[in-house]
Amino acid sequence: MSLFSNEIIALKQKALEQARPLFDKIDEISAQNTAKVLAAFRKHQVSEYLFRTTTGYGYGDSGRERLENVWADLCGAEKALVRTQFVSGTHALACVLFGILRPGDELLAVTGTPYDTMQTVVGHAVHTPGSLKECGVSYQEIPMTQDGVDIDAIAGYIKSNTKMVLIQRSRGYSLRKPLSISDIKKVCAEIKKHKPDCICFVDNCYGEFVDTAEPTAVGADIMAGSLIKNPGGGIAPSGGYIAGKEELVNMAAYRLTAPGLGGELGATLADIRLLYQGLFLAPHVVAQAVKGATFAAVLFNNLGYKTVPQPDELRSDIIQAIELGSPEKMIAFCQGLQQYSPVDAHVHPVPGPMPGYVDQVIMAGGTFIQGSSIELSADGPLRPPYIVYLQGGLTFEHAMLGILGAASAITGQ
Ligand SMILES: *Cc1c(COP(=O)(O)O)cnc(C)c1O
């Protein structure tokens, strides 16, 4: 039985042939990262007895402590927090900002306007009670150029009270390029050159395991991300992480719990095996998602659409942007993809209003874990030039079928 028309099958075969040589590099990164994970598990003697829940304060929770030591090692960091008590990536990122910044300090974003949910945390463009602005932290941002971070502009923005620089690795909902690990290294070096005590903070969401090193291994002081994206491997049920210099991670931990308590508390209520197993699977799962993104870039390029990144460009996050050019095509793309979801395949996505967005937003993604975007998903605000952002896929096979479903819905074939 053929699921797709002969036209779509022909498109698939052609795209697979073109994409295959690009897959070799992705497999190589996955193999190197898997080796790193195994080495860290071996070093820290990960054992089955660690996979248990704890209660109450959660003092001396060895499963939690061991996992955090493993993740710190993988990040080239001194210390890490890996917790389901972080409700999302934004929460982990906010703990870093509020844990470290004090009234009178300035935060400088060098990658332009931050991700949507970070704008309410910062509170300078959007008024939000409890934001950094309300706490007396000032804010500046340097717009990105065509080539990436405006390195030459940095010196002019750094002031005596610039306590922290925010570097967002991924593109988010924009067409700008993600920062590669070597870009992040250069930006951190430039900042330290002008102000050695300025803290380099990386929003690492969507970037984990796309390359063979993480930002804290190349000069970033601290970073944070979500466990329902890359490092949870599609298995972690919820949570976020912070990794970096010990002193800074402790300050963030005092914000997560309370000053004086920090990371010593926090019972493991969820099955922590899921976090270990998710981390073990993450390099492979991220590779599946990157292959899906690459396949989508090739196929939609062949159909005449602009894709960012282009199929053979260096990737530093799992997002594939496709410029579709009309609201009808965005809706068709999302509806076609949704039909090939393992969960809610019968649901018909339609555009709707979303808090924090001016335009209506459409979202597709039938995921096992609510809102998980390491699972295959697509979304975007309905505004010109009508770009859909595609990401995730626990298996390449699924990503491919979803993408073919979207192509079929768009072309009517
Ligand atoms: C996903 C993401 C976040 C955090 O989002 P949550 O939905 O709160 O996990 C922050 N920054 C970027 C770039 C992201 O992609």
Side-chain angles (χ1 to χ4, degrees), residues 100-146:
I100 296 171
L101 296 168
R102 297 290 178 268
D105 289 343
E106 183 153 291
L107 173 69
L108 172 64
V110 295
T111 41
T113 304
Y115 189 74
D116 298 74
T117 57
M118 296 310 292
Q119 292 179 32
T120 49
V121 174
V122 171
H124 279 258
V126 215
H127 170 76
T128 333
S131 69
L132 281 180
K133 184 180 182 184
E134 212 182 72
C135 296
V137 174
S138 60
Y139 172 77
Q140 285 196 92
E141 63 188 36
I142 309 179
M144 286 186 73
T145 68
Q146 273 293 315

Side-chain angles (χ1 to χ4, degrees), residues 43-55:
K43 176 182 161 191
H44 292 280
Q45 304 191 348
V46 171
S47 279
E48 191 264 347
Y49 80 90
L50 297 167
F51 307 156
R52 60 192 181 96
T53 55
T54 58
T55 59

Side-chain angles (χ1 to χ4, degrees), residues 88-90 93 115 168 203 205-206 226 229:
S88 65
T90 304
L93 290 154
Y115 189 74
Q168 182 183 306
D203 173 349
C205 284
Y206 284 136
S226 166
K229 293 181 179 172

Side-chain angles (χ1 to χ4, degrees), residues 27-103:
D27 286 332
E28 178 53 33
I29 291 172
S30 171
Q32 281 190 40
N33 282 330
T34 301
K36 257 174 76 177
V37 170
L38 291 174
F41 275 35
R42 187 188 310 120
K43 176 182 161 191
H44 292 280
Q45 304 191 348
V46 171
S47 279
E48 191 264 347
Y49 80 90
L50 297 167
F51 307 156
R52 60 192 181 96
T53 55
T54 58
T55 59
Y57 295 128
Y59 288 129
D61 182 329
S62 50
R64 181 193 71 212
E65 288 171 4
R66 205 75 66 91
L67 178 66
E68 292 181 338
N69 291 339
V70 165
W71 184 237
D73 266 12
L74 287 170
C75 296
E78 291 172 9
K79 185 167 178 163
L81 299 168
V82 181
R83 307 268 165 139
T84 53
Q85 282 91 357
F86 288 121
V87 301
S88 65
T90 304
H91 183 201
L93 290 154
C95 283
V96 172
L97 295 169
F98 284 96
I100 296 171
L101 296 168
R102 297 290 178 268

Side-chain angles (χ1 to χ4, degrees), residues 68-360:
E68 292 181 338
N69 291 339
V70 165
W71 184 237
D73 266 12
L74 287 170
C75 296
E78 291 172 9
K79 185 167 178 163
L81 299 168
V82 181
R83 307 268 165 139
T84 53
Q85 282 91 357
F86 288 121
V87 301
S88 65
T90 304
H91 183 201
L93 290 154
C95 283
V96 172
L97 295 169
F98 284 96
I100 296 171
L101 296 168
R102 297 290 178 268
D105 289 343
E106 183 153 291
L107 173 69
L108 172 64
V110 295
T111 41
T113 304
Y115 189 74
D116 298 74
T117 57
M118 296 310 292
Q119 292 179 32
T120 49
V121 174
V122 171
H124 279 258
V126 215
H127 170 76
T128 333
S131 69
L132 281 180
K133 184 180 182 184
E134 212 182 72
C135 296
V137 174
S138 60
Y139 172 77
Q140 285 196 92
E141 63 188 36
I142 309 179
M144 286 186 73
T145 68
Q146 273 293 315
D147 305 322
V149 174
D150 192 351
I151 292 265
D152 299 333
I154 289 177
Y157 277 87
I158 291 187
K159 303 193 296 199
S160 59
N161 67 335
T162 308
K163 177 79 168 279
M164 183 187 278
V165 165
L166 173 64
I167 302 162
Q168 182 183 306
R169 179 174 178 182
S170 156
R171 73 181 66 249
Y173 280 129
S174 82
L175 279 184
R176 65 105 159 153
K177 279 187 189 158
L179 270 62
S180 68
I181 286 296
S182 79
D183 293 334
I184 292 171
K185 185 176 179 177
K186 268 186 233 148
V187 171
C188 292
E190 177 70 12
I191 291 156
K192 299 287 181 187
K193 192 170 97 190
H194 300 290
K195 196 168 189 292
D197 63 346
C198 184
I199 297 159
C200 296
F201 171 35
V202 175
D203 173 349
N204 201 32
C205 284
Y206 284 136
E208 302 88 354
F209 295 123
V210 176
D211 205 331
T212 52
E214 299 301 333
T216 38
V218 298
D221 297 298
I222 190 163
M223 64 180 186
S226 166
L227 293 188
I228 63 167
K229 293 181 179 172
N230 306 15
I235 304 276
S238 187
Y241 75 85
I242 296 172
K245 300 239 165 80
E246 184 169 3
E247 184 198 350
L248 300 175
V249 174
N250 286 341
M251 290 172 89
Y254 292 144
R255 173 57 58 165
L256 169 65
T257 61
L261 304 185
E264 303 297 315
L265 280 75
T268 298
L269 301 175
D271 185 354
I272 202 166
R273 173 183 59 82
L274 300 174
L275 271 57
Y276 279 99
Q277 199 168 357
L279 182 55
F280 164 69
L281 289 170
H284 178 74
V285 170
V286 168
Q288 300 296 291
V290 175
K291 283 183 184 178
T294 304
F295 176 76
V298 172
L299 188 135
F300 278 87
N301 244 317
N302 289 347
L303 284 172
Y305 295 97
K306 183 180 167 195
T307 63
V308 185
Q310 289 289 321
D312 57 354
E313 260 180 272
L314 177 76
R315 284 169 194 265
S316 192
D317 66 17
I318 61 169
I319 304 175
Q320 181 63 51
I322 305 166
E323 191 177 313
L324 293 173
S326 82
E328 293 75 25
K329 283 182 178 166
M330 277 186 82
I331 296 166
F333 185 103
C334 288
Q335 292 181 345
L337 186 97
Q338 184 78 29
Q339 284 181 20
Y340 291 89
S341 294
V343 179
D344 286 337
H346 57 286
V347 165
H348 215 55
V350 290
M354 276 266 291
Y357 291 88
V358 182
D359 306 286
Q360 299 228 317

Side-chain angles (χ1 to χ4, degrees), residues 388-399:
V388 75
Y389 298 88
L390 172 81
Q391 65 270 316
L394 299 183
T395 69
F396 171 69
E397 296 85 333
H398 173 221

